[in-house]
Amino acid sequence: MPTPRETILAALHARLSALPATALRGDVLPERIPTEGLLILRDGEPGESEVTLSPLRYHYQHRAEIEAVVQGADRDAAFDTLTASIGTALTTDRTLGGFCDWVEAEAPRPVDLPVEGGASLKAAVIPVVLHYSTADPLA
């Protein structure tokens, strides 16, 4: 049985996979960027938990990251469309099907990355904060 952390990350990946862009989890940046764009979900860091007693619960604000990458002549518009679709996907169901208490994305910081012999990339890391509680930090 997967842990709550893994269940939440899998639900987030499934939500990203429903978008037109290719969604990967924990993979390296491929040599070719799909026309619709590329999303890579990084598991991130659960951080320090807050603990409540009776019953014992560990409350996390887990910071996962989504790497969003587009390439092509109209990359600014494609990037804007891709990031807006991520926002819409997350605000549609802030609990990821009831697996977490709340999910919220932070603003991306886009950068243009030159590619030798090819069209430049536009990319950003989008932090996503996953709020959830568990009875055991390892389970």
Tab-separated table of all heavy atoms in Angstrom, residues 2-11 25 43:
chain	number	residue	atom	x	y	z
A	2	PRO	N	0.672	2.165	-0.934
A	2	PRO	CA	1.519	3.365	-1.001
A	2	PRO	C	1.266	4.295	0.186
A	2	PRO	O	0.176	4.333	0.751
A	2	PRO	CB	1.123	4.018	-2.321
A	2	PRO	CG	-0.165	3.416	-2.715
A	2	PRO	CD	-0.292	2.106	-2.016
A	3	THR	N	2.278	5.065	0.510
A	3	THR	CA	2.158	6.049	1.580
A	3	THR	C	1.288	7.216	1.112
A	3	THR	O	1.095	7.404	-0.090
A	3	THR	CB	3.548	6.591	1.967
A	3	THR	OG1	4.105	7.266	0.831
A	3	THR	CG2	4.482	5.477	2.425
A	4	PRO	N	0.772	8.010	2.057
A	4	PRO	CA	0.004	9.192	1.643
A	4	PRO	C	0.824	10.116	0.742
A	4	PRO	O	0.297	10.669	-0.224
A	4	PRO	CB	-0.341	9.874	2.971
A	4	PRO	CG	-0.355	8.766	3.964
A	4	PRO	CD	0.721	7.808	3.511
A	5	ARG	N	2.105	10.272	1.029
A	5	ARG	CA	2.981	11.122	0.213
A	5	ARG	C	3.018	10.630	-1.225
A	5	ARG	O	2.823	11.399	-2.171
A	5	ARG	CB	4.385	11.138	0.831
A	5	ARG	CG	5.413	11.887	0.033
A	5	ARG	CD	6.809	11.824	0.687
A	5	ARG	NE	7.267	10.456	0.870
A	5	ARG	CZ	7.362	9.823	2.048
A	5	ARG	NH1	7.038	10.421	3.155
A	5	ARG	NH2	7.777	8.574	2.112
A	6	GLU	N	3.223	9.330	-1.419
A	6	GLU	CA	3.281	8.764	-2.770
A	6	GLU	C	1.921	8.850	-3.457
A	6	GLU	O	1.845	9.129	-4.658
A	6	GLU	CB	3.771	7.325	-2.720
A	6	GLU	CG	3.791	6.630	-4.063
A	6	GLU	CD	4.659	7.333	-5.104
A	6	GLU	OE1	5.636	8.013	-4.748
A	6	GLU	OE2	4.344	7.189	-6.307
A	7	THR	N	0.863	8.615	-2.713
A	7	THR	CA	-0.488	8.702	-3.280
A	7	THR	C	-0.771	10.114	-3.785
A	7	THR	O	-1.319	10.303	-4.879
A	7	THR	CB	-1.531	8.298	-2.223
A	7	THR	OG1	-1.244	6.969	-1.778
A	7	THR	CG2	-2.940	8.356	-2.781
A	8	ILE	N	-0.370	11.127	-3.025
A	8	ILE	CA	-0.592	12.522	-3.406
A	8	ILE	C	0.248	12.886	-4.623
A	8	ILE	O	-0.243	13.517	-5.564
A	8	ILE	CB	-0.304	13.450	-2.216
A	8	ILE	CG1	-1.364	13.238	-1.130
A	8	ILE	CG2	-0.248	14.906	-2.646
A	8	ILE	CD1	-1.018	13.839	0.208
A	9	LEU	N	1.517	12.477	-4.629
A	9	LEU	CA	2.372	12.782	-5.777
A	9	LEU	C	1.874	12.075	-7.044
A	9	LEU	O	1.907	12.643	-8.131
A	9	LEU	CB	3.821	12.404	-5.477
A	9	LEU	CG	4.519	13.313	-4.456
A	9	LEU	CD1	5.833	12.704	-4.007
A	9	LEU	CD2	4.715	14.705	-5.019
A	10	ALA	N	1.392	10.840	-6.898
A	10	ALA	CA	0.833	10.117	-8.048
A	10	ALA	C	-0.427	10.813	-8.555
A	10	ALA	O	-0.657	10.906	-9.772
A	10	ALA	CB	0.551	8.670	-7.679
A	11	ALA	N	-1.253	11.325	-7.640
A	11	ALA	CA	-2.469	12.043	-8.047
A	11	ALA	C	-2.112	13.345	-8.757
A	11	ALA	O	-2.751	13.717	-9.746
A	11	ALA	CB	-3.346	12.324	-6.825
A	25	ARG	N	7.638	12.055	-14.595
A	25	ARG	CA	7.882	12.176	-13.155
A	25	ARG	C	9.308	11.743	-12.849
A	25	ARG	O	9.674	10.590	-13.051
A	25	ARG	CB	6.898	11.333	-12.365
A	25	ARG	CG	7.113	11.499	-10.864
A	25	ARG	CD	6.002	10.949	-10.041
A	25	ARG	NE	6.390	10.990	-8.641
A	25	ARG	CZ	5.939	10.190	-7.727
A	25	ARG	NH1	5.035	9.280	-8.042
A	25	ARG	NH2	6.363	10.277	-6.495
A	43	ASP	N	9.649	15.190	-7.031
A	43	ASP	CA	9.011	14.889	-5.747
A	43	ASP	C	9.211	15.982	-4.708
A	43	ASP	O	8.357	16.211	-3.876
A	43	ASP	CB	9.528	13.565	-5.191
A	43	ASP	CG	9.020	12.377	-5.992
A	43	ASP	OD1	8.234	12.572	-6.942
A	43	ASP	OD2	9.400	11.241	-5.670
